Amino acid sequence: MMVSLTPAITRFKDAASASHLRACIVLIVLSLAAFLPGFSTLQPLDRDEPRFAQASKQMLESGDLVDIRFQDEARHKKPVGIYWLQSATVRAGEALGVPEARTQIWLYRIPSLVGATATVLLTYWALLAFLSPPFALLGGALMAAAVLLGVEARIAKTDALLAACAVASMGALARAWLDWTRSLAFVPSRYNWLVFWGATALGLLIKGPIVPMVWGLAILVLSASQRSFRWLKPLRFGWGLLLCLVVALPWFAAIMLKTGGSFFADSVGQDMLGKVAEGQEKHWGPPGLYLLFFFATYWPAAAFAAMAVPFAWGRRKEPQILFLIAWIVPSWLVFEAVPTKLPHYVLPLYPAITALLLLAVVNGGIDRNRRGAVLTASLVVIVPLMLMGVILYGNWTLDRAVPFLAVPFFVLALICGAAVVAAFRRGDVEGALWRCVPASLLLTVAVYPLAVESLRSLKLSPRLEEAVRAVGCADPAVVTLGYREPSLVFLTGTDLAMAASGAGAAAFLNGPGCRIALVESRFAADFEAALAGQAPRPRLVTTINGFNLNGGKRLAIAVFARTPD
């Protein structure tokens, strides 16, 4: 039996969903509350984020808007869309007078913030084909609260924008399917086909074939159920494919001519097919790993989504449920089959999971009396409790510090989580889901601007950049020996030299002008031996101690400088 919402929640959802404009304003405010804490203070997160940002910075430095490079190396992994957007935001930052705009990582993150906010708004729009406005509003709020979307909103790469393109295209596809099966409560807009193909075209420029893969697999499942493709006629495939060619073909043709076809060999042959053949860059994972990730990445609503599975299976032949299953399952199986596993791969499927969850709530498909239901709901408390333990342990182990400012917010998040479980036990599932949102916002404040920000040991590259700046040279030449994270290149400059040996670093210091060497401790003896015959010796400026997450090791990096007399 469903229990009615508390008066405060009822008043809020009724007022917020009274019009689409009001709902969108509420979701934008909620998105900013969820995504802005820590947005500008988090250091560049190795390795993908600074690679994207550095390549965009080099576009600005070189003026070449076609080729994509990281230092002297071609970066032919993803299409150009994200680099154009990042370059444009940094150029706008420069025009507005942002100091040192090209090394301000938050400027490069703005497209991701926009993409994540658009994902929330488009989730609301897509869910209107399945649910009433109050529940569509709740769906958008749950997406804003989801851990994974919050992470991607703060990282300067492709996946938040990709999720927006995917949910836009699938929302348009849903309208065509539900209209065909007479399951849609309204007549689709005559521009529905344009939304579908516009999102697809942008998706091609952002991350290649991922968006077409998601809707293509869904189309195959749905058409097999109808034994017909006629339901796709309103989407105007001829005009839509032409639109994709107009939007995407010019750059793809330009990069093919500029690279002699090597872009496609690298992006398709090495990057995409390489991930299919084996786990790239130590990101291998067994099938089923995404299910394990799910309970953390879709927190706080993951436990309730798991309880909606029996409802979805029992009503799998209904047009609404079948569409959502076709959106989720085929693509999820593809991602599980690929050896390379990264949590964000399944993000474009989360809006569909949200829709299934809320359809289960509306139709009484979540049974709080089912065996283990309350224990499953308790994951809303267990997950942040485990995260708090890990973060507190990391702070103490690495820096012998406790993030005291974060602790009250952790406690408040746990209290909100307990309120979620209590509402569920009363049978107020909708109220429990609404309470998930403030729990997520409180956890966000605890983690990003407070607990993570206090982990000084993880900020190796920013601290090294500060040490280089402290030398006092106007335009120093810098070499690094051992430590080669992309964030160091982004912060210190495109011309950062990479030495292969102590002798190479020592020889670099003998060059003209102000010279600085960053020497990891495991190369210290080799470097000192190479310095034995040099006079005068470079001075030791400082030693930076920290922890490199990518290598999982503590590092000590000495900063040597030789300045002109």
Side-chain angles (χ1 to χ4, degrees), residues 151-495:
V151 170
E152 293 303 324
R154 294 172 172 85
I155 302 180
K157 54 191 188 73
T158 58
D159 296 285
L161 284 163
L162 177 73
C165 293
V167 69
S169 64
M170 292 304 291
L173 187 67
R175 282 159 169 75
W177 166 257
L178 296 175
D179 188 49
W180 170 266
T181 57
R182 295 181 172 84
S183 306
L184 193 63
F186 53 86
V187 177
S189 167
R190 60 178 177 170
Y191 301 111
N192 191 55
W193 72 276
L194 196 56
V195 174
F196 179 80
W197 288 108
T200 299
L202 292 175
L204 287 171
L205 280 177
I206 295 295
K207 207 168 182 178
I210 301 302
V211 170
M213 182 200 80
V214 172
W215 58 247
L217 291 172
I219 285 174
L220 290 177
V221 171
L222 297 170
S223 298
S225 73
Q226 296 288 302
R227 299 181 182 178
S228 172
F229 289 94
R230 286 180 297 168
W231 64 277
L232 294 169
K233 185 177 178 180
L235 292 178
R236 305 183 189 183
F237 266 67
W239 286 106
L241 290 171
L242 180 62
L243 175 63
C244 288
L245 288 175
V246 169
V247 172
L249 186 60
W251 177 79
F252 280 106
I255 193 67
M256 183 179 69
L257 292 173
K258 183 149 193 168
T259 64
S262 66
F263 173 84
F264 297 99
D266 292 343
S267 63
V268 178
Q270 294 183 21
D271 187 56
M272 188 174 73
L273 295 182
K275 290 173 180 175
V276 173
E278 60 183 359
Q280 287 192 340
E281 298 185 5
K282 300 180 181 179
H283 294 313
W284 178 87
L289 189 61
Y290 285 116
L291 286 177
L292 184 61
F293 286 160
F294 177 75
F295 289 96
T297 57
Y298 190 62
W299 184 92
F304 301 101
M307 287 186 268
V309 171
F311 164 82
W313 179 251
R315 301 175 66 165
R316 62 191 179 277
K317 294 183 180 180
E318 297 179 9
Q320 288 185 324
I321 306 299
L322 179 60
F323 181 88
L324 295 171
I325 290 174
W327 182 348
I328 300 165
V329 175
S331 294
W332 193 290
L333 291 176
V334 169
F335 292 132
E336 290 284 13
V338 172
T340 301
K341 296 285 193 303
L342 288 167
H344 58 258
Y345 284 1
V346 294
L347 180 59
L349 313 182
Y350 281 10
I353 294 171
T354 305
L356 267 181
L357 164 60
L358 294 177
L359 281 172
V361 173
V362 169
N363 291 280
I366 295 182
D367 184 5
R368 67 187 174 96
N369 296 315
R370 184 184 292 270
R371 184 177 180 182
V374 174
L375 180 61
T376 303
S378 298
L379 287 171
V380 178
V381 177
I382 294 171
V383 169
L385 187 63
M386 293 174 62
L387 179 63
M388 181 176 71
V390 168
I391 289 178
L392 292 178
Y393 174 79
N395 270 267
W396 182 254
T397 302
L398 296 177
D399 292 324
R400 287 294 185 268
V402 175
F404 289 106
L405 292 177
V407 172
F409 290 96
F410 275 122
V411 173
L412 289 173
L414 293 173
I415 292 172
C416 269
V420 170
V421 177
F424 177 74
R425 293 186 68 180
R426 294 194 304 269
D428 183 9
V429 182
E430 184 186 351
L433 291 174
W434 275 113
R435 289 172 174 84
C436 284
V437 178
S440 177
L441 295 179
L442 289 165
L443 188 66
T444 293
V445 174
V447 172
Y448 291 109
L450 299 177
V452 172
E453 182 63 21
S454 67
L455 281 165
R456 184 170 170 78
S457 288
L458 301 184
K459 299 181 179 183
L460 276 169
S461 292
R463 292 164 62 202
L464 287 168
E465 189 274 335
E466 289 175 2
V468 168
R469 191 186 297 264
V471 171
C473 297
D475 189 21
V478 185
V479 66
T480 182
L481 176 59
Y483 182 73
R484 294 190 171 198
E485 294 298 339
S487 58
L488 186 63
V489 180
F490 173 73
L491 291 172
T492 59
T494 302
D495 295 331

